[in-house]
Amino acid sequence: MVQEREPVIQVKNLYKIYRVGRNKVRALNGVDLEIYRGEFCSIVGTSGSGKSTMLNMLAGLEKPTKGEVIISGEHLERMNENQLVRFRREHVGFIFQSFNLLGTMNAKENVALPLTFRGVPKKVRMDKADKMLDLVGLRKHKTHKPNEMSGGQQQRVGVARALVVDPEIIFADEPTGNLDSNTSAEVMELMKKIVREQNQTLVMVTHDNHLASFADRIFHIIDGKIVKIEDNRKNREVVEA
Amino acid sequence: MSVKDLLKMSLSSLWRRKLRTILTVLGVVIGTASIVVMISLGLGLNKVSMEQIEQYGGLTTINVYSNDGGYGYYGGGVAVSVDGSDSDSDSQEPVRIDDAAIEQFKHMEHVEVASPILSTWVLLRQGVWESSASIRGMSHEALEKMDIDIKEGSLPEEGGELQFFYGNTVITDFYNSKTGQNPYYENYDYEHPENNTTADVDFMNTPMFVIFDTDAYYNSQYGGTDENGAPVPAPKKYMVPGCGLMAGSPEEWGENSNSILCDVEALKAQLKKVFKGKAIPGQPTNKSGKPYKEIYYNQAYIRVDDMDYVTDVQDQIRALGFQAESNVEWMNQVQEQSRSIQMALGGIGAVSFFVAAIGIANTMMMSIYERTKEIGVMKVLGCDMGAIRNMFLAEAGFIGLIGGAVGLLLSYGISSIINFVTKATYESGISYIPFYLVLLAMIFAVFMGMLAGLFPALRAMRLSALAAIRNE
Ligand SMILES: Nc1ncnc2c1ncn2[C@@H]1O[C@H](COP(=O)(O)OP(=O)(O)O)[C@@H](O)[C@H]1O
Ligand SMILES: [Mg+2]
């Protein structure tokens, strides 16, 4: 059941070439893809295959060398840094591999932080953060500082922080990379559940085929090219050249 | 991001690194205090000088003196009556102050008051108390316009009999003629001037005996003889009523505090009566040693409506051949001097503030290195670049603000210590911190803090979010 809707993410002929000394590294070598609203997609590939570069490009953290990135109808490659920040604030949630919580703030304050950047009044953002932490199952750790929580708990805070702004798209770069396999599975289930419930789009990068299989669609990337797209929902494989 | 949240985040990150913040603030405290104290010294010196000038007759007064030849200026269009017999073209014609000259001064532009000053030394006597004093005759108009504070009685009447108006320190010149002692200086108490005693003289209700011909008096006292060898008879004593007293204690010195003022016309009439047929002491004589018919004035008092025109009027008067002095030249000199002192002192302070500013920049730089990751995360989460810059600017501004405020408190402390130590020399204080200096110092400290924080803040703003979060 491929949606007939407008894709929320459209990538056309995307290149990213790094210069390292005299050599050119083609981190992305002509990528085309479309992701639809409400989908959970994973990008999987070996280390150095260009997954992070891909994700950073989609989140507007890095400029492409060539090609187009269109999200919600807006061309990211044409934006300046200020516009990109505003774009992220309005459309994007981000989950980091190393959680990246602010050590001086407790769980609730960390979750409320993106709302602060949106100018949400303190009471409202604290209420929202509170609900979000309930949702990720951290009822008892709301006032804990990051260093008073386990990795899994910290990443739950990270998930809550990404979701609290109710973003259209959530990007996650190896969100379970620092977690053991049991905790990883838990966090994956959590993300999947919430994204499903709220009908959000999630794009996740991982090098682990097993974790990738949690997604609706799986993009296989090798040497900066998408070589295969798996659709879990139809159990059908589409191979691209 | 609301301003409140922004300031809160800035404050909390300062609070997070208390010790470092305190040390940086300390630099600003010292910098602010040294600038403020240094400038306060310059201002205080200036204030002391200006008060002194005020005591010596303010800034709109011009004193005009006659020019009795010898040095000075050639009179141009002189309207002063001069001895016509003097035809020697080599010697300068003396330029003296008479009524015509006063009229001329009066008609100059911006001249508010022009009064003759006729002064003469007399001997005052009441009971055993005696004083050798100079009395000063001025026009009634001038006396009224000199803003004299009256404690008792009134200014001398115009045109009537001679009356004296006593300045508040005149009493300190009376001595006991029997013992030769002056009770005021004899027992002067520096610590408690209010305990000083003065001669028991009543200016208002008991008549004052005045001896105008002091030469004759001393000659008769000490057995002198005239040209013919006959003993000099004691001169006549005149009784002169007091009409008023100037306000102020014997310790308060002011423009006319040590003068005995009277109406110039009354004084002229009195002198003519006393020295009938003789030369009045202090008056000029012609070649053959005979006095002129007219009485010439020693000085003229001129007040100008605005201190900007003082030099102008002064030049006009000089062009007439008179000597004219005012405090404007003095003041200009004083102000120039205090400006350069302020510059030098302020410069010393500025150096320490400069060091403090470097301290702020350094602290902010370190803070940004430590928080690279945090800044990157905030940028990824959608924090405006401007907000990040402002956050760091606010941090630097807070350091300036706190440092400035504490620095000002310290300045007040140092200032009062300086004033306490120098109390003996500078009564009203040599260190002076006016309110505008407080305001300026605060603005300066905050502004300099932010200026020092600007480069680090811009750096934080431009930090690559990606580079910050990549090193995982
Ligand atoms: N800033 C950079 N400068 C140079 N080369 C880079 C840079 N970022 C990534 N690369 C290179 O691009 C390729 C893809 O990197 P990346 O997207 O991080 O891979 P991964 O799939 O492991 O996330 C790698 O070969 C990497 O060395
Ligand atoms: Mg990667």
Side-chain angles (χ1 to χ4, degrees), chain A residues 10-179:
Chain A
Q10 257 180 303
V11 172
K12 292 180 186 166
N13 199 26
L14 193 66
Y15 287 85
K16 181 71 187 182
I17 300 161
Y18 291 110
R19 263 169 221 286
V20 182
R22 292 244 205 87
N23 303 330
K24 287 182 179 176
V25 180
R26 290 171 175 266
L28 289 179
N29 199 6
V31 173
D32 291 273
L33 60 79
E34 291 184 341
I35 293 170
Y36 299 92
R37 197 172 298 280
E39 268 190 316
F40 175 7
C41 296
S42 59
I43 299 170
V44 68
T46 55
S47 181
S49 56
K51 311 178 295 286
S52 292
T53 307
M54 180 77 227
L55 197 77
N56 293 337
M57 219 72 60
L58 294 180
L61 295 173
E62 220 172 347
K63 281 226 176 282
T65 310
K66 203 178 105 183
E68 293 174 51
V69 180
I70 307 156
I71 298 184
S72 303
E74 294 189 64
H75 281 265
L76 293 200
E77 78 277 2
R78 294 179 197 161
M79 291 186 185
N80 64 26
E81 208 185 339
N82 263 319
Q83 292 167 320
L84 287 170
V85 170
R86 187 179 48 75
F87 174 83
R88 280 199 294 273
R89 189 163 63 231
E90 286 166 4
H91 301 279
V92 173
F94 217 97
I95 300 168
F96 302 90
Q97 176 178 351
S98 52
F99 325 134
N100 279 332
L101 304 178
L102 300 198
T104 52
M105 298 180 170
N106 64 29
K108 203 157 141 184
E109 288 163 342
N110 262 294
V111 174
L113 190 63
L115 292 171
T116 312
F117 300 145
R118 295 179 167 207
V120 176
K122 180 158 185 180
K123 191 169 171 346
V124 179
R125 61 181 193 244
M126 283 312 180
D127 281 354
K128 277 199 173 177
D130 206 71
K131 291 211 181 77
M132 219 58 225
L133 283 169
D134 288 345
L135 201 62
V136 298
L138 283 179
R139 209 176 293 273
K140 289 181 190 149
H141 300 83
K142 283 173 186 165
T143 55
H144 286 215
K145 292 268 172 73
N147 59 7
E148 296 159 354
M149 288 185 281
S150 70
Q153 288 166 335
Q154 286 189 57
Q155 193 58 303
R156 283 163 190 266
V157 176
V159 171
R161 182 176 65 182
L163 291 167
V164 75
V165 293
D166 202 11
E168 280 170 65
I169 310 157
I170 297 143
F171 294 109
D173 193 348
E174 312 253 14
T176 59
N178 286 7
L179 302 177

Side-chain angles (χ1 to χ4, degrees), chain B residues 99-176:
Chain B
D99 287 325
I102 299 291
E103 259 330 285
Q104 225 179 352
F105 299 152
K106 264 188 195 162
H107 286 102
M108 286 177 179
E109 235 180 304
H110 302 296
V111 170
E112 213 173 40
V113 183
S115 162
I117 299 178
L118 180 61
S119 45
T120 183
W121 281 94
V122 299
L123 203 69
L124 302 178
R125 196 166 204 184
Q126 192 178 86
V128 295
W129 302 107
E130 224 175 73
S131 168
S132 173
S134 167
I135 56 178
R136 202 170 155 87
M138 291 180 79
S139 77
H140 186 72
E141 188 199 359
L143 289 175
E144 278 192 326
K145 285 191 179 167
M146 277 197 306
D147 307 319
I148 295 171
D149 281 339
I150 299 171
K151 181 191 198 173
E152 203 182 330
S154 61
L155 290 170
E157 273 169 38
E158 189 170 15
E161 282 288 303
L162 186 62
Q163 293 174 317
F164 285 163
F165 181 87
Y166 294 93
N168 51 297
T169 64
V170 170
I171 187 72
T172 62
D173 296 332
F174 278 84
Y175 54 89
N176 188 319

Side-chain angles (χ1 to χ4, degrees), chain B residues 324-374:
Chain B
E325 284 169 14
S326 73
N327 289 336
V328 167
E329 284 146 351
W330 181 19
M331 182 199 69
N332 286 344
Q333 216 175 341
V334 163
Q335 288 203 323
E336 204 166 299
Q337 212 172 8
S338 75
R339 237 194 311 276
S340 54
I341 291 174
Q342 268 174 52
M343 291 284 230
L345 294 179
I348 296 169
V351 169
S352 55
F353 203 97
F354 184 66
V355 175
I358 294 176
I360 295 180
N362 186 29
T363 296
M364 297 307 296
M365 238 29 232
M366 276 174 67
S367 164
I368 283 158
Y369 282 128
E370 277 172 13
R371 287 154 69 191
T372 300
K373 189 144 197 154
E374 185 183 320

Side-chain angles (χ1 to χ4, degrees), chain B residues 199-342:
Chain B
D200 185 19
V201 174
D202 180 359
F203 290 123
M204 294 300 289
N205 303 314
T206 314
M208 183 67 73
F209 287 95
V210 183
I211 296 159
F212 288 94
D213 194 348
T214 48
D215 282 353
Y217 172 77
Y218 289 118
N219 272 335
S220 74
Q221 279 292 84
Y222 303 110
T225 54
D226 63 11
E227 306 96 80
N228 307 326
V232 179
K236 211 176 151 192
K237 284 182 276 191
Y238 296 85
M239 227 162 64
V240 178
C243 64
L245 292 179
M246 196 182 290
S249 73
E251 284 75 35
E252 285 172 49
W253 275 79
E255 192 182 354
N256 280 305
S257 63
N258 202 36
S259 304
I260 299 170
L261 298 171
C262 62
D263 183 61
V264 69
E265 292 305 324
L267 181 61
K268 262 158 86 177
Q270 182 78 23
L271 287 177
K272 276 181 181 159
K273 196 165 94 190
V274 173
F275 294 95
K276 199 175 276 171
K278 283 195 288 181
I280 299 172
Q283 285 291 314
T285 51
N286 63 15
K287 282 259 157 79
S288 47
K290 287 270 182 319
Y292 297 98
K293 266 223 258 352
E294 196 173 357
I295 292 183
Y296 290 106
Y297 303 119
N298 315 64
Q299 271 182 58
Y301 167 91
I302 289 177
R303 209 170 70 191
V304 179
D305 55 10
D306 191 301
M307 64 180 264
D308 291 346
Y309 301 114
V310 169
T311 326
D312 257 13
V313 174
Q314 218 174 331
D315 287 344
Q316 284 181 58
I317 293 169
R318 279 177 182 160
L320 294 177
F322 298 100
Q323 298 182 47
E325 284 169 14
S326 73
N327 289 336
V328 167
E329 284 146 351
W330 181 19
M331 182 199 69
N332 286 344
Q333 216 175 341
V334 163
Q335 288 203 323
E336 204 166 299
Q337 212 172 8
S338 75
R339 237 194 311 276
S340 54
I341 291 174
Q342 268 174 52

